[in-house]
Amino acid sequence: MRKFLIRRLLMMVPLLLGISILSFLIMHLAPGDPATLNAAMRSNIDPSYIEKLQVFYGLKDPLYLQYWHWLERFCTFDFGDSFRDSRPVLIVIAERIPATVYLSGLSLILLFVIAVPLGVGAAYYQNRFFDRFVSVFTFVGYSAPHYWVALMLMLLFGVNWGILPISGMADTNLDYLPWYSRGGDYLAHLILPLAVTTYGSLASVSRYARTSMLEVIRQDYIRTARAKGLSEFQVIFNHALRNALIPIVTLFGLFLPSVLGGAVIIETIFSWPGMGRLFWESIVSHNYPVVMGVGIILAFFTLLGNFLADIGYALLDPRVRYD
Amino acid sequence: MTNKPSTVKGSRLSTFFKRDPLIFWGGAVVSILVITALTAQWIAPYDPLLQVLNDRLLPPSLHHWMGTDQFGRDVFSRLLYGSRISLAVGFVAVSIFILIGTTVGAVAGYYGGWVDGLLMRLVDVVLCIPTFLLILMVIAFVGPSILNIMVVIGLTAWTDVARLVRGEFLSLKEREFIQAAKLIGMRDSRLIWKHMLPNAMGPVLVAATLGVGTAILLESSLSYLGLGVQPPTASWGNMLMEGKEHLTDAWWLVTFPGLAVFFTVLGYNLLGEGLRDMLDPRLKGSGRNG
């Protein structure tokens, strides 16, 4: 087990390097560098100014040298400065983390609180009404693009009925509101993004929970538990559910990157000031250092999430052995 | 074929419907979509690019079933033409990833050993890449085009198929008819093509059908972000993107293209699940994660 863990941790280093090289290459394949883009926005720009900018950003160096400089600084946790406002990338990113963790963290909790009972219930009442209901629901969930669901909700709640705000985390004149209505304002802004983010993964998680529970309640030990006369409550909650939850808990690990990465589309639609939107804005403005910074952090958490999922599995299920 | 009375045909259809309602409904939706895409130029009531500036933002009516957009173009006609984009992206992207996935899975499963180890590590690596973010980056930096979308989806989505085919090959390898074929000295290539692949294609067919739905969803998201098909060409995603600007005064612009994506993807998902149940009744309703 320990050997396996160490090997997995060490594997993350070449993987991260590989991902960073890949991202770097993709970005620099692009026609148009940030200096030219920047200059194109203004008229009558002096060509020598573009040249100066390119030198300043280090864009004139050969690609491998640019990557090497990036890597050198990365090793000291220096992600460079944002092209947009010359502030350190780490600070730019750090500012966006709370908003994303707030939205995605709450959504992750809500997701499991709703999806697991749905899936487990569907498995228990297999092929009965509740199961049918859940399966129709999951089909809809798989098929409706969630950015469109977001638009529809905005249309209904924000435009037609006018009862919920549709953009941002809080009202722009929040500071002028009395303290007691600030909480309500935050809550109102949270409802739609939270609903859509949660909905986005609800179908797959409840489906997963159903499969997992179905596998368990067909096992011999469940029949044994029933045969020896345990109450149905005991059988389901003590014997079946605890085993069915094992694979579900590991899903938490796989969802970890989304807590930080946020949902690019949802955050963009709702003008939510989080990491997903930051990534999107930097991509559009060719802000290389920020794209690299966010990309590498997200890749790290994706790898970490996979790793935690494996550990969780081994810790919870003694039958699983890695060697 | 002899001519059969239509009643027999009808009753066959109804038993088929009773036995496999998923395939029936999914197949119906998918057929309608394919027919629509192929015949768009004949059934569309208007030219999808024709701007009639006097008829801007008209709500749905008898003349314009789904209203008109900010340039006075007919939304229904644009929707019909948009189905071509979705269909093309779905089929090309899926063909690419089925091809890669099947090849990798077959080679890994058949030869085993270090080849298998190497290829499966490759699968692990690709799985570790945050796919959506990678797609965003590639499209944003290499340039938005329908071809790029197809290729990128194709290049990142093959891992599941590779695992499926590898699994099938591992178990097929032990079966007697394969052992026998090997024993009589059949060439590897012939054995793989003639005897193993056809027996492994069931799950791949299911993955392909579900994959078309996923690819269509992904394309519409990318077009929605402005990274897909570029206006004025109509795609469902970019219609939604343009419609969002008129959320407050033209509900029809964001409603109908979204419904089109929804029903299309639903159709492919129903068909895929139905095919899975048909091919392997043991898994009935066990879901794609199972």
Side-chain angles (χ1 to χ4, degrees), chain A residues 35-36 55-56 68 83 88 94 104 106 139 175 181 195 213 226 237 265 275 285 291 311:
Chain A
T36 337
V55 173
F56 179 71
W68 181 248
F83 282 168
S104 306
L106 281 177
F139 260 113
D175 292 340
S181 55
M213 186 70 175
R226 287 216 171 95
F237 286 90
I265 298 193
M275 287 265 279
S285 59
V291 175
I311 296 184

Side-chain angles (χ1 to χ4, degrees), chain B residues 233-251:
Chain B
T233 307
S235 89
W236 296 341
N238 73 27
M239 289 171 75
L240 283 168
M241 172 184 72
E242 294 182 333
K244 199 208 167 191
E245 304 304 317
H246 295 273
L247 196 63
T248 47
D249 51 350
W251 58 268

Side-chain angles (χ1 to χ4, degrees), chain A residues 229-246:
Chain A
L230 287 183
S231 70
E232 195 61 16
F233 181 86
Q234 279 273 335
V235 173
I236 293 305
F237 286 90
N238 254 341
H239 293 246
L241 192 59
R242 281 170 59 177
N243 284 296
L245 283 180
I246 294 172

Side-chain angles (χ1 to χ4, degrees), chain A residues 11 15 19 22-23 26-27 29-31 126 139-140 142-145 147-148 151-152 154-155 159 166 204 207-208 210-211 214 218 264-265 268-269 279-280 282-283 286 288 291 298-299 302-303 306, chain B residues 22 121 125 127-130 132-134 136-138 140-142 217 220-221 224-225 227 237 240 244 247-248 251 254-255 257-259 261-262 265-266 269-270 273 282 284-290:
Chain A
M11 265 296 280
L15 272 175
I19 292 177
L22 189 66
S23 322
I26 293 172
M27 277 194 323
L29 276 178
Q126 194 189 3
F139 260 113
V140 172
Y142 271 132
S143 309
Y147 67 91
W148 176 63
L151 288 178
M152 289 288 101
M154 285 163 90
L155 187 63
V159 178
I166 57 173
S204 56
R207 203 85 197 265
Y208 195 83
R210 179 180 181 274
T211 311
L214 270 183
R218 284 174 190 155
V264 174
I265 298 193
T268 312
I269 290 183
F279 189 67
W280 172 237
S282 339
I283 279 185
H286 286 208
Y288 295 170
V291 175
L298 289 185
T302 310
L303 297 179
N306 287 337
Chain B
L22 293 182
R121 285 302 81 72
V125 170
L127 276 178
C128 279
I129 299 172
F132 188 68
L133 299 186
L134 180 75
L136 276 184
M137 280 184 69
V138 172
F141 288 108
V142 181
L217 264 184
S220 83
S221 321
Y224 174 78
L225 286 171
L227 296 177
L240 283 168
K244 199 208 167 191
L247 196 63
T248 47
W251 58 268
V254 288
T255 307
L259 282 176
V261 178
F262 171 58
V265 178
L266 189 66
N269 282 347
L270 289 173
E273 294 281 330
R282 279 175 303 142
K284 192 151 192 156
S286 67
R288 63 185 64 188
N289 295 313

Side-chain angles (χ1 to χ4, degrees), chain A residues 72-247:
Chain A
E72 259 176 1
R73 298 207 294 187
F74 172 73
C75 289
T76 60
F77 292 100
D78 177 4
F79 287 60
D81 295 337
S82 162
F83 282 168
R84 185 160 149 262
D85 45 16
S86 304
R87 291 185 310 144
V89 169
L90 267 184
I91 292 184
V92 175
I93 291 175
E95 281 173 359
R96 299 298 192 103
I97 288 179
T100 291
V101 171
Y102 167 57
L103 176 61
S104 306
L106 281 177
S107 151
L108 189 63
I109 296 170
L110 198 62
L111 171 67
F112 281 82
V113 167
I114 299 176
V116 172
L118 275 185
V120 168
Y124 186 68
Y125 297 106
Q126 194 189 3
N127 295 331
R128 309 249 291 274
F129 173 77
F130 186 71
D131 187 26
R132 295 277 154 86
F133 171 78
V134 172
S135 98
V136 168
F137 170 80
T138 50
F139 260 113
V140 172
Y142 271 132
S143 309
H146 56 289
Y147 67 91
W148 176 63
V149 173
L151 288 178
M152 289 288 101
L153 291 178
M154 285 163 90
L155 187 63
L156 283 180
F157 289 93
V159 178
N160 285 4
W161 302 331
I163 49 178
L164 285 176
I166 57 173
S167 98
M169 249 176 91
D171 208 83
T172 40
N173 54 10
L174 183 80
D175 292 340
Y176 303 102
L177 290 174
W179 61 269
Y180 49 84
S181 55
R182 285 185 198 177
D185 184 63
Y186 270 113
L187 194 66
H189 280 83
L190 180 65
I191 293 176
L192 287 184
L194 183 64
V196 179
T197 317
T198 311
Y199 156 85
S201 316
L202 206 55
S204 56
V205 176
S206 65
R207 203 85 197 265
Y208 195 83
R210 179 180 181 274
T211 311
S212 164
M213 186 70 175
L214 270 183
E215 260 162 34
V216 170
I217 55 182
R218 284 174 190 155
Q219 298 290 324
D220 287 343
Y221 60 81
I222 296 299
R223 197 180 309 129
T224 311
R226 287 216 171 95
K228 72 178 183 187
L230 287 183
S231 70
E232 195 61 16
F233 181 86
Q234 279 273 335
V235 173
I236 293 305
F237 286 90
N238 254 341
H239 293 246
L241 192 59
R242 281 170 59 177
N243 284 296
L245 283 180
I246 294 172

Side-chain angles (χ1 to χ4, degrees), chain B:
Chain B
M1 285 289 280
T2 50
N3 278 331
K4 286 180 185 126
S6 62
T7 48
V8 173
K9 220 174 166 185
S11 73
R12 264 198 189 164
L13 201 65
S14 71
T15 51
F16 174 50
F17 168 63
K18 267 183 207 132
R19 206 182 53 221
D20 290 309
L22 293 182
I23 298 185
F24 179 85
W25 286 113
V29 173
V30 170
S31 320
I32 291 173
L33 183 83
V34 172
I35 294 169
T36 307
L38 293 179
T39 59
Q41 71 259 48
W42 296 298
I43 55 179
Y46 297 89
D47 177 350
L49 300 177
L50 180 70
Q51 304 188 0
V52 183
L53 294 178
N54 280 333
D55 294 342
R56 284 163 47 198
L57 298 176
L58 292 179
S61 65
L62 279 179
H63 296 291
H64 297 283
W65 292 357
M66 297 181 180
T68 60
D69 67 5
Q70 69 278 17
F71 296 119
R73 296 173 299 197
D74 181 50
V75 173
F76 180 58
S77 305
R78 289 178 68 72
L79 209 64
L80 294 180
Y81 274 87
S83 67
R84 294 183 162 179
I85 303 281
S86 296
L87 203 69
V89 170
F91 279 101
V92 176
V94 167
S95 310
I96 296 175
F97 83 64
I98 294 291
L99 195 71
I100 302 178
T102 311
T103 312
V104 171
V107 170
Y110 185 78
Y111 292 104
W114 66 269
V115 180
D116 183 33
L118 191 74
L119 289 174
M120 285 303 109
R121 285 302 81 72
L122 181 66
V123 169
D124 287 344
V125 170
V126 175
L127 276 178
C128 279
I129 299 172
T131 313
F132 188 68
L133 299 186
L134 180 75
I135 293 181
L136 276 184
M137 280 184 69
V138 172
I139 305 288
F141 288 108
V142 181
S145 84
I146 181 171
L147 188 74
N148 284 349
I149 290 191
M150 295 176 190
V151 172
V152 177
I153 297 179
L155 286 182
T156 47
W158 55 270
T159 47
D160 284 345
V161 177
R163 288 183 157 181
L164 274 176
V165 174
R166 173 177 175 268
E168 291 288 316
F169 266 52
L170 282 180
S171 72
L172 277 172
K173 229 168 42 173
E174 307 302 323
R175 299 272 292 275
E176 278 172 4
F177 71 101
I178 298 294
Q179 299 281 354
K182 247 187 190 163
L183 217 60
I184 59 170
M186 191 177 275
R187 270 179 298 127
D188 280 0
S189 59
R190 187 174 160 80
L191 188 67
I192 292 178
W193 280 106
K194 285 271 165 183
H195 296 277
M196 297 184 80
L197 267 184
N199 281 299
M201 280 333 260
V204 174
L205 182 68
V206 174
T209 315
L210 295 172
V212 175
T214 314
I216 290 176
L217 264 184
L218 212 50
E219 183 274 328
S220 83
S221 321
L222 291 170
S223 289
Y224 174 78
L225 286 171
L227 296 177
V229 180
Q230 296 299 300
T233 307
S235 89
W236 296 341
N238 73 27
M239 289 171 75
L240 283 168
M241 172 184 72
E242 294 182 333
K244 199 208 167 191
E245 304 304 317
H246 295 273
L247 196 63
T248 47
D249 51 350
W251 58 268
W252 53 93
L253 291 184
V254 288
T255 307
F256 294 115
L259 282 176
V261 178
F262 171 58
F263 280 113
T264 305
V265 178
L266 189 66
Y268 281 102
N269 282 347
L270 289 173
L271 191 62
E273 294 281 330
L275 286 173
R276 184 212 305 277
D277 291 349
M278 194 174 79
L279 290 168
D280 192 352
R282 279 175 303 142
L283 289 175
K284 192 151 192 156
S286 67
R288 63 185 64 188
N289 295 313

